[in-house]
Amino acid sequence: MSGTLSSHILDIHLGKPAADIAVTLHRVSASGEASLLANGVTNADGRVTPDSWSFDPTIDIAEYHLDVGRYTLTFDTQAYFDAQNLTAFYPQVVIDFMISDNGHYHVPLLLSAHGYSTYRGS
């Protein structure tokens, strides 16, 4: 059983999608150890789609599946705000979430230089 994952970032300060933000996906073990699974970059529409993840080539292909368990998405917001000459309060955003079935998981991020919000999207 495995799920799929996408994300979307909206810059609520500028009122538009946040493009070119690096995103990493980690699997978190029962002991709390995080293992890198994949990297992505938001496209011009601020999205990382299920088929755009670049999985770590050093891991077994069987690990590419998002099985039931705990994961994190880390967004490199510092580089994004530096490119806009803005001082960001949060240099990165880490979203810790659970996959509980083989459905599709969409994790949106609403972002500004001084705050953020997230939820489980559809």
Side-chain angles (χ1 to χ4, degrees), residues 9 11 16-22 41-47 80 84:
I9 307 175
D11 182 327
K16 64 179 191 175
D20 299 318
I21 293 183
V41 176
T42 57
N43 62 21
D45 195 31
R47 298 180 184 275
Y80 175 76
Q84 298 176 49

Side-chain angles (χ1 to χ4, degrees), residues 26-93:
H26 289 82
R27 178 179 289 126
V28 181
S29 70
S31 66
E33 183 178 331
S35 301
L36 177 66
L37 287 182
N39 294 291
V41 176
T42 57
N43 62 21
D45 195 31
R47 298 180 184 275
V48 180
T49 59
D51 61 346
S52 68
W53 291 105
S54 295
F55 281 87
D56 185 339
T58 64
I59 63 173
D60 186 311
I61 195 165
E63 297 295 311
Y64 288 13
H65 302 287
L66 300 181
D67 294 325
V68 169
R70 184 176 162 198
Y71 295 84
T72 62
L73 283 172
T74 302
F75 300 87
D76 182 10
T77 55
Q78 185 69 54
Y80 175 76
F81 288 118
D82 285 351
Q84 298 176 49
N85 295 316
L86 290 173
T87 301
F89 185 68
Y90 298 101
Q92 67 179 9
V93 173

